[in-house]
Amino acid sequence: MFDLKSRVAVVTGGSRGIGRASAIALAAQGAHVVVGYASGEAAAQEVAGVISAAGGSAETARLDVSSSDVEKAIAEIAKRHGRLDILVASAGISIDGLLLRLKDDDFNQLFAVNLKGAVYSSRAAIKSMMRARFGRVILLSSVVGEMGNAGQTAYAATKAGLVGVAKSLAREYASRGITVNAIAPGFVETDMTRALTDEQRKGILDAVPVGRIGSAEEIAAGVVYLASEEAGYVTGETLRINGGMYM
């Protein structure tokens, strides 16, 4: 079940957090994984090393999703391997602040990485997937994109936008054997959430029915499912992995 042998996967933002866990999980199921990074080359190499040590197959690639140049990089990966089966668009940043204090540069950077970056990456991957008439595109959204959160207007907008992107691309390319889905994680232990104060963490945990923080590995399990043959009848959906934080 969930056998990904012979599949080639690209994970943007694969050097840390959910991207890291997703890269390792996909490789564990047999996929060759390209661990994408923007600036954390050493961290990406560490992920590839973990995969190789476990008997998996991986490489690293600089994929700065904030620029449309990422499309050329992904196209090169697909050309080199002769295929690209799975894209996990996990690269993302969080810049919080009340709307009236939000700087234009921060607003633009959030959209460049979180939303435009996912679209650029998807466009490049889908070109290759169309030729093979098979593909899995998985976009990492957020519970905040569905429920909103004070101080995260711009971040929530980018993550809500990914839900719309997934639905639209799902309709465009279903006939080509390509599924496109989003995953909306809740409160997960990552670099982003570790930066929160104890008071902020407690406030969030009070709103999580299961009463704990999720793990990146739990999100990665959802990624593996959506990347698999078994999920071929699932497209345009948002998989909520949030401990009941939003239902």
Side-chain angles (χ1 to χ4, degrees):
M1 201 175 203
F2 305 157
D3 183 0
L4 300 178
K5 289 184 179 68
S6 81
R7 300 299 187 194
V8 174
V10 167
V11 181
T12 69
S15 64
R16 59 189 177 88
I18 292 170
R20 180 185 190 277
S22 297
I24 292 171
L26 290 168
Q29 296 303 121
H32 174 77
V33 179
V34 180
V35 183
Y37 66 92
S39 58
E41 182 176 6
Q45 292 286 0
E46 184 270 338
V47 176
V50 168
I51 290 171
S52 296
S57 177
E59 64 183 273
T60 63
R62 186 172 187 276
L63 300 174
D64 181 0
V65 302
S66 66
S67 166
S68 61
D69 288 346
V70 71
E71 294 191 52
K72 296 178 184 176
I74 291 176
E76 276 298 313
I77 292 168
K79 181 178 179 181
R80 188 167 71 250
H81 290 282
R83 63 190 302 153
L84 174 53
D85 306 289
I86 301 160
L87 170 69
V88 181
S90 181
I93 60 172
S94 176
I95 304 173
D96 298 342
L98 297 174
L99 178 62
L100 297 184
R101 298 176 183 173
L102 185 67
K103 298 176 182 177
D104 285 352
D105 286 348
D106 291 341
F107 183 83
N108 292 333
Q109 184 67 5
L110 278 165
F111 272 81
V113 175
N114 294 0
L115 187 54
K116 293 173 69 175
V119 173
Y120 291 148
S121 301
S122 297
R123 184 161 60 186
I126 285 171
K127 286 178 183 177
S128 175
M129 293 172 179
M130 284 178 66
R131 291 191 291 272
R133 300 190 71 82
F134 177 90
R136 300 286 187 262
V137 176
I138 303 160
L139 310 178
L140 266 295
S141 180
S142 168
V143 65
V144 174
E146 294 194 296
M147 64 182 285
N149 193 36
Q152 290 191 303
T153 298
Y155 177 78
T158 63
K159 293 301 185 177
L162 290 176
V163 172
V165 169
K167 290 178 181 293
S168 298
L169 291 181
R171 290 184 180 277
E172 287 184 22
Y173 298 103
S175 65
R176 302 299 184 96
I178 301 168
T179 66
V180 186
N181 293 285
I183 292 181
F187 191 37
V188 177
E189 194 67 70
T190 64
D191 290 345
M192 286 186 190
T193 55
R194 278 190 283 272
L196 297 173
T197 66
D198 289 343
E199 184 179 354
Q200 288 172 322
R201 291 170 73 91
K202 182 182 183 304
I204 293 172
L205 279 177
D206 287 344
V208 180
V210 301
R212 67 172 177 84
I213 298 171
S215 71
E217 289 71 23
E218 288 173 308
I219 311 305
V223 169
V224 169
Y225 166 64
L226 290 176
S228 71
E229 292 273 5
E230 287 81 354
Y233 204 55
V234 180
T235 195
E237 293 297 322
T238 299
L239 177 59
R240 295 169 180 154
I241 309 177
N242 61 32
M245 190 175 183
Y246 181 80
M247 303 181 191

